[in-house]
Amino acid sequence: MQSSGVATQKAVLGGGRVQARTPVARASRPRVVACRAAGLSGKVKKVVLAYSGGLDTSVILKWLQDTYDCEVVTFTADLGQGEELEPARKKAEAAGVKEIYIDDLREEFVRDFVFPMFRANSLYEGTYLLGTSIARPLIAKRQIEIAMEVGADAVSHGATGKGNDQVRFELGYYGLKPDIKVIAPWREWDLNSRTKLIAYAETHGIGVPAGKRNEPPFSMDANLLHISYEGNALEDPWVEPSESMFTRSVSPEQAPDTPTYVEIEFEKGDPVGINGTRMSPATLLTELNRLGGDNGIGRVDIVESRFVGMKSRGVYETPGGTILLAMRRAIESICLDRGESHLKDELMPKYAELVYNGFWFSPERLALQDAFDRTQQFVTGTVRAKLYKGNVIVVGRKSPYSLYDDKISSFEDDGGAYDQKDAAGFIKLQALRLRTLAKNRGDSWNKGLF
C-alpha cells in the first residue's frame, strides 16, 4: 500500500520507518536541572526549538534561555529551501547549545507528504497548491521525535500569533504527543516590533545583518515544493508585485519562444521518472522545478482565507508542482472511471482544507487519504506535455490500464461496438423525472424558463 504520510501515531513515533539520522554536534548530554524561572507555559526543563539561524529564531533561542532558564535543543530541517545550513549550526554552538539537529528531510518530505497530497489533486480555494501547509506537519513530527529522543518536555516554534503556521505546528505537536508543552514566543513576549527585536538582539550579543535592520519588503518561506511571499509591500492586493521579487521562475514574457517537451512516467499515481530516467522523489521534483522555472510556469497571486479568520494576500512560485498537477490529471483522465474521478473532485476541497488548516494527523485526513490512494492502483502510464510561456499543455497520454477505447469513441464505423439506438432509452429514463415535474406542476413550474 502506498505511503500516506503516516498511517497511525505508532508508525510516526517509532513503530514504523524512520530514516537514520545522526544529530550534529551531539556532545555528552548535560545534566538536566529544574528551571529557576517560568514563562507563561510554566516550568520547562528542556525545549526543542524549530531553528533556522535567522534573526527571529536566534532571538527566540536566547529568549527561551533567559525566560525559562532551560536547556534548548535546536532542530533545523532541510526541506529544499536552498539555504546553506552550516551557519545555523555555528550560531547555535555560539549560543551555547549542546544538542544540535540538522536533518536532510527532502526525500521524506516529497515521498511521504507532497506525493500523498498530490494523489488528491489538492488545491485550496481552487488555486493554492499548499506548499507551506504541507511542510509544517513534517517539521512538527520531527520535533516530537527529537523531544522523545532527548527527554524534552517542551517544543517551540517561531510562528506569529496572527497566522496559520502556529495552528499547523501545534495541531501536529498535540496530535502526536498530547502532553507536550508548547512555547510560542510571539504570543508571550513584548518584542512586538522590528526595533524591539533588534534592540534585544544587540543587548544580548546576537549579530544583526545589515539587511535585517529595516523592515523587509515581504516575508518569504521556501521548500522544495514552492516559495511564498507575503506581507508589507504585498499587503495591498491591487498592487502588482515587482518582477525582482521572484526567485524560482522567469516571467512568462521572458520565457523561451520555443516550447520544451517533457514526459513524466507514473506508477500508482506517483511520478517516478522524467524523459525515460527514473529519479528519487526529491530529485524528480527538483528537475520539474527547473523545467517549470525556465518556462515561466507556476506563479500565482491570490487572496486566501486564513484558518484564523482573516483574508491574506500571498504570491507563490510552484513551478514543479504546477506541472505535476496538470500531468497527473491527464494520466487520471484515461485511468480512472468517471465515478472515481468525479468523487475525487468532490472530496478534494475537504482534503485540501484539512491540509491547509493543519489537520494532517487527523483521522478524517487519514480516512480520505485511504480513499484517494485506493483510486490510484491503476494510475500508471506516461504523459507528454509542452511547457510554453507559463503554460503546461498536455499533448499525449498512454497507459496499459487506459479506459479510453477509440473503437467505442470513434465517429467512424465502430463495427457494432456501440449501438446508437440504445441512447434513446437512456435519455428517456434520464428525462423521466423532468417530464413528471413539468406535467405535475404545469405552467407555474415552467414560468420564467421561456
Side-chain angles (χ1 to χ4, degrees):
M1 183 175 177
Q2 289 169 306
S3 166
S4 57
V6 289
T8 63
Q9 291 188 12
K10 181 178 179 182
V12 173
L13 297 176
R17 178 200 53 75
V18 176
Q19 291 179 333
R21 302 180 184 91
T22 302
V24 180
R26 292 280 303 269
S28 58
R29 187 169 300 165
R31 182 173 60 91
V32 177
V33 297
C35 292
R36 296 186 298 276
L40 293 179
S41 298
K43 290 186 177 181
V44 170
K45 295 180 180 180
K46 184 185 287 191
V47 58
V48 179
L49 169 65
Y51 180 72
S52 69
L55 177 61
D56 289 10
T57 54
S58 293
V59 169
I60 288 173
L61 196 166
K62 180 59 178 174
W63 179 87
L64 288 170
Q65 293 170 330
D66 288 349
T67 303
Y68 285 90
D69 192 21
C70 61
E71 182 181 348
V72 179
V73 177
T74 61
F75 160 57
T76 305
D78 182 358
L79 298 178
Q81 58 265 46
E83 297 176 350
E84 174 57 51
L85 301 183
E86 181 65 14
R89 183 181 70 82
K90 292 182 177 179
K91 289 180 181 179
E93 287 177 339
V97 177
K98 299 299 189 295
E99 291 178 291
I100 300 168
Y101 284 76
I102 298 179
D103 291 353
D104 184 348
L105 302 180
R106 289 174 294 177
E107 292 293 347
E108 182 179 3
F109 175 53
V110 180
R111 181 189 63 242
D112 295 346
F113 291 81
V114 174
F115 282 0
M117 180 180 72
F118 267 78
R119 289 178 212 140
N121 298 330
S122 300
L123 284 173
Y124 180 68
E125 296 187 332
T127 52
Y128 176 38
L129 282 163
L130 298 164
T132 297
S133 313
I134 194 59
R136 298 325 187 208
L138 175 54
I139 295 172
K141 167 182 171 286
R142 186 59 186 136
Q143 273 186 274
I144 293 299
E145 288 174 344
I146 293 171
M148 296 177 71
E149 289 176 19
V150 302
D153 55 342
V155 289
S156 182
H157 61 76
T160 72
K162 209 171 184 179
N164 293 314
D165 281 343
Q166 59 178 335
V167 182
R168 295 164 179 156
F169 282 128
E170 294 178 35
L171 289 178
Y173 300 151
Y174 291 130
L176 298 174
K177 198 173 190 305
D179 61 342
I180 195 72
K181 292 181 180 179
V182 177
I183 304 174
W186 284 98
R187 300 201 302 256
E188 294 190 20
W189 64 20
D190 61 354
L191 304 178
N192 54 10
S193 70
R194 176 68 42 175
T195 300
K196 289 183 178 180
L197 202 70
I198 290 174
Y200 185 95
E202 291 178 334
T203 298
H204 294 86
I206 300 170
V208 181
K212 294 290 185 179
R213 292 191 170 274
N214 298 317
E215 194 75 14
F218 42 77
S219 64
M220 299 166 57
D221 179 78
N223 58 52
L224 199 52
L225 180 56
H226 90 154
I227 185 168
S228 67
Y229 310 91
E230 291 182 320
N232 296 344
L234 299 173
E235 289 177 355
D236 185 343
W238 183 250
V239 176
E240 182 178 1
S242 169
E243 179 61 32
S244 63
M245 178 184 75
F246 296 97
T247 60
R248 292 197 175 181
S249 62
V250 300
S251 69
E253 296 89 341
Q254 296 301 315
D257 293 329
T258 56
T260 299
Y261 282 84
V262 60
E263 292 186 3
I264 298 181
E265 295 83 47
F266 292 91
E267 290 182 2
K268 294 187 176 182
D270 291 344
V272 296
I274 298 175
N275 296 332
T277 301
R278 292 185 70 91
M279 301 177 180
S280 72
T283 302
L284 186 145
L285 185 53
T286 299
E287 177 63 8
L288 287 182
N289 282 334
R290 183 190 70 79
L291 291 167
D294 288 349
N295 287 279
I297 291 167
R299 295 184 180 185
V300 293
D301 182 339
I302 63 177
V303 174
E304 66 200 62
S305 301
R306 283 186 179 175
F307 190 26
V308 293
M310 68 192 74
K311 294 284 188 178
S312 173
R313 193 256 189 110
V315 181
Y316 301 96
E317 291 180 272
T318 319
T322 301
I323 296 171
L324 181 57
L325 178 64
M327 298 180 76
R328 261 194 46 77
R329 292 204 69 110
I331 192 65
E332 285 190 344
S333 73
I334 60 173
C335 293
L336 292 188
D337 171 74
R338 180 184 66 186
E340 290 177 307
S341 180
H342 290 189
L343 182 60
K344 279 195 69 189
D345 285 345
E346 291 175 18
L347 295 176
M348 181 277 286
K350 180 60 179 178
Y351 180 97
E353 183 180 74
L354 289 170
V355 175
Y356 183 84
N357 291 344
F359 287 95
W360 181 259
F361 298 109
S362 68
E364 60 269 38
R365 200 283 303 178
L366 292 169
L368 286 174
Q369 190 71 59
D370 287 343
F372 288 128
D373 290 353
R374 179 67 179 82
T375 70
Q376 301 299 295
Q377 297 307 301
F378 297 97
V379 181
T380 294
T382 303
V383 177
R384 183 173 69 251
K386 59 181 179 182
L387 314 178
Y388 184 66
K389 291 189 177 295
N391 296 288
V392 183
I393 306 166
V394 174
V395 295
R397 71 287 281 165
K398 63 181 180 179
S399 169
Y401 304 109
S402 176
L403 299 176
Y404 177 82
D405 188 332
D406 58 356
K407 291 182 179 179
I408 295 176
S409 60
S410 175
F411 288 104
E412 302 299 326
D413 183 3
D414 58 21
Y418 181 91
D419 189 344
Q420 298 189 34
K421 295 184 180 67
D422 292 341
F426 172 78
I427 294 168
K428 283 187 177 180
L429 287 174
Q430 293 296 319
L432 178 60
R433 65 187 184 92
L434 301 179
R435 296 170 73 186
T436 302
L437 277 169
K439 289 178 181 179
N440 181 272
R441 298 179 180 178
D443 292 341
S444 63
W445 175 249
N446 294 331
K447 187 177 181 180
L449 298 181
F450 296 99

